[in-house]
Amino acid sequence: MKSAVETLNPTRVRLTVEVPFEELKDSLDAAYKKINQQVTVKGFRKGKIPARVIDQRFGRGAVLEEAVNDALPKFYTDAVNEAELSVLGQPEVDITELKDGETLNFTAEVDIRPSIEIPDFSGIEVEVDAVEVTDEDVDKAVEELRERFASTAPVERAAEDGDVVTIDLQAKVDGEVLEDGVADGVSYTIGSGELLDGIDDAVTGVEAGGEATFTSELKGGSAAGKEAEVTVKVTQVAKRELPELDDEFAQLASEFDTIEELRADSRKRLENMKQYDQATQAQERVLEKLLELVEVPVPEKLLEDEINTRKHNLEHHQLGQMGLDLAKYLEIQGKSEEEFDAETKEAAVKGIKTQFVLDELVKQEKLNVNQEELTEHLMRRAASSGMSPDQFAQAVVEGGQVPLLVGEVARGKALAVVVEKATVKDTNGEIVDLDDEEDEDTTEASAEETPAESAEEKTEG
């Protein structure tokens, strides 16, 4: 077999492959065997039909077609490996010449990873928010904890803002009660905004035993997005009672003996959260600066596939779970379809460039992923997916996704290398020393789930 490579643009090549006919022998034998098992010819046992009879009865062309279809993936893969190409997605193959007993010639156009040069990135400087926790922040955190320990006591008066009411609901659309539009004994805090629009005004001022009717757009269920007439009956009104902010509350709500110790712990927790947010911000801004330094051509087909995938996931998974369609989502977001398309394309381009650049850094820095790092990453991904580590690991192995996880960890380590050499200052002008453990968590979050790997998976065969 002979092959040659023609560069069409920085992200696409054309392979020209010439295959001597004798190299098709194994595939021809397999084609005759396959046809033998599929057809019946009078006078011959199944599977024992001579090749010449198959040629006469079914045509040599059918055999050649079967043989070429069987052989092409191998010859294509051999040509890719010989040229040391990093291909993306499926090739467009065109058989240019097929002479029985002489030769098979074909071309294959395919996207490839572009050649990327990583410049010196040690001069990158970014600014992040300073870690500042005010007394007001602590007050708010303690108050939220206090809210969680609130108790309720029934009262004989009309419902007010902040009260907890027990209600029965019935929703009608076009005068018909919905099968999934009836709910009894629902506990609802007035003003929380956790149920239907309009319910707060409807139940405020209503005593136990009273009812009200209002119109609201349903957020989910069989009639999601439709206007419904909702009847709400109040069966109980209860007043929320908050515990006193004293040492007794500290002992009830935490492992601490005094309210001062509880407040100090709340302050420390808030500082840790803001430090994590600061580290995440540093990763994102360093990555943005790095991408500005590198010229990265993006394969058109890969970009098109990534945009379509992002749109599909949004429309059929995320929005579907919320009972929304794309038009309603754009209305809520206050965006036009053109703005949405532009933002989706921008995000897709950034995702592809991120993977290409960080993968190049992995090679340049000779970074490896050990079993401990992979296991830690798997545990985090399992937690975010809502699956147990064992379930997630099994799904990863069965789906052949282990290389993807390895790639995510490696890219996280590559970004950590860049962050380590960058200068990170907060808004007060102070140098930020990012903790190593925070770096690993946030860099992996920044670098994972980039798109080009899925295209590469489809390349072989």
Side-chain angles (χ1 to χ4, degrees), residues 37-63:
Q37 299 299 322
Q38 294 175 338
V39 301
T40 302
V41 176
K42 189 175 181 180
F44 297 95
R45 286 182 294 159
K46 196 174 185 68
K48 299 295 184 180
I49 308 170
R52 58 178 177 78
V53 175
I54 290 177
D55 289 346
Q56 292 168 355
R57 296 291 296 271
F58 304 102
R60 174 71 168 177
V63 180

Side-chain angles (χ1 to χ4, degrees), residues 341-355:
D341 287 343
E343 289 178 4
T344 303
K345 181 178 180 179
E346 183 181 357
V349 169
K350 182 179 179 182
I352 293 170
K353 287 185 174 182
T354 296
Q355 178 169 322

Side-chain angles (χ1 to χ4, degrees), residues 46-98:
K46 196 174 185 68
K48 299 295 184 180
I49 308 170
R52 58 178 177 78
V53 175
I54 290 177
D55 289 346
Q56 292 168 355
R57 296 291 296 271
F58 304 102
R60 174 71 168 177
V63 180
L64 287 175
E65 182 179 357
E66 181 69 38
V68 169
N69 288 339
D70 175 73
L72 271 179
K74 176 185 179 301
F75 293 132
Y76 165 73
T77 301
D78 288 346
V80 166
N81 292 337
E82 183 179 298
E84 298 181 343
L85 298 175
S86 180
V87 297
L88 301 167
Q90 293 285 5
E92 294 180 6
V93 177
D94 180 28
I95 297 174
T96 56
E97 186 176 26
L98 175 58

Side-chain angles (χ1 to χ4, degrees), residues 90-114:
Q90 293 285 5
E92 294 180 6
V93 177
D94 180 28
I95 297 174
T96 56
E97 186 176 26
L98 175 58
K99 289 186 177 179
D100 193 358
E102 294 183 28
T103 186
L104 162 67
N105 298 336
F106 68 92
T107 61
E109 288 191 18
V110 66
D111 287 333
I112 60 168
R113 279 178 176 264

Side-chain angles (χ1 to χ4, degrees), residues 330-359:
L330 293 178
E331 180 185 332
I332 294 171
Q333 294 291 314
K335 295 177 183 176
S336 67
E337 191 169 343
E338 290 74 18
E339 290 172 327
F340 169 74
D341 287 343
E343 289 178 4
T344 303
K345 181 178 180 179
E346 183 181 357
V349 169
K350 182 179 179 182
I352 293 170
K353 287 185 174 182
T354 296
Q355 178 169 322
F356 286 167
V357 170
L358 294 182
D359 283 349

Side-chain angles (χ1 to χ4, degrees), residues 25-256:
K25 183 179 184 308
D26 290 343
S27 293
L28 280 168
D29 291 344
Y32 279 116
K33 186 175 181 180
K34 182 177 181 180
I35 294 173
N36 241 306
Q37 299 299 322
Q38 294 175 338
V39 301
T40 302
V41 176
K42 189 175 181 180
F44 297 95
R45 286 182 294 159
K46 196 174 185 68
K48 299 295 184 180
I49 308 170
R52 58 178 177 78
V53 175
I54 290 177
D55 289 346
Q56 292 168 355
R57 296 291 296 271
F58 304 102
R60 174 71 168 177
V63 180
L64 287 175
E65 182 179 357
E66 181 69 38
V68 169
N69 288 339
D70 175 73
L72 271 179
K74 176 185 179 301
F75 293 132
Y76 165 73
T77 301
D78 288 346
V80 166
N81 292 337
E82 183 179 298
E84 298 181 343
L85 298 175
S86 180
V87 297
L88 301 167
Q90 293 285 5
E92 294 180 6
V93 177
D94 180 28
I95 297 174
T96 56
E97 186 176 26
L98 175 58
K99 289 186 177 179
D100 193 358
E102 294 183 28
T103 186
L104 162 67
N105 298 336
F106 68 92
T107 61
E109 288 191 18
V110 66
D111 287 333
I112 60 168
R113 279 178 176 264
S115 176
I116 298 173
E117 298 228 353
I118 308 291
D120 178 21
F121 48 77
S122 60
I124 289 178
E125 293 188 16
V126 297
E127 183 180 74
V128 295
D129 296 335
V131 174
E132 296 174 344
V133 178
T134 65
D135 289 342
E136 289 75 16
D137 293 332
V138 177
D139 291 341
K140 182 180 178 182
V142 173
E143 187 62 27
E144 289 174 353
L145 180 63
R146 186 186 181 204
E147 290 278 350
R148 293 209 299 269
F149 282 84
S151 59
T152 58
V155 292
E156 295 185 3
R157 59 165 173 76
E160 300 175 357
D161 187 43
D163 285 345
V164 178
V165 291
T166 303
I167 54 178
D168 298 336
L169 293 165
Q170 183 185 83
K172 293 181 180 179
V173 172
D174 298 329
E176 297 289 332
V177 177
L178 300 172
E179 288 186 12
D180 56 354
V182 178
D184 294 333
V186 177
S187 180
Y188 175 68
T189 301
I190 299 175
S192 66
E194 295 174 351
L195 278 178
L196 298 168
D197 293 339
I199 193 169
D200 291 333
D201 291 338
V203 298
T204 298
V206 179
E207 298 183 16
E211 65 177 48
T213 300
F214 64 101
T215 301
S216 183
E217 183 179 303
L218 298 178
K219 296 180 180 179
S222 61
K226 293 185 178 180
E227 288 288 325
E229 181 186 86
V230 183
T231 300
V232 54
K233 181 178 181 180
V234 178
T235 59
Q236 184 186 76
V237 178
K239 181 181 180 181
R240 299 179 78 252
E241 297 179 346
L242 298 173
E244 292 294 325
L245 286 177
D246 52 21
D247 293 346
E248 185 177 342
F249 170 70
Q251 294 163 20
L252 169 69
S254 71
E255 70 270 31
F256 302 105

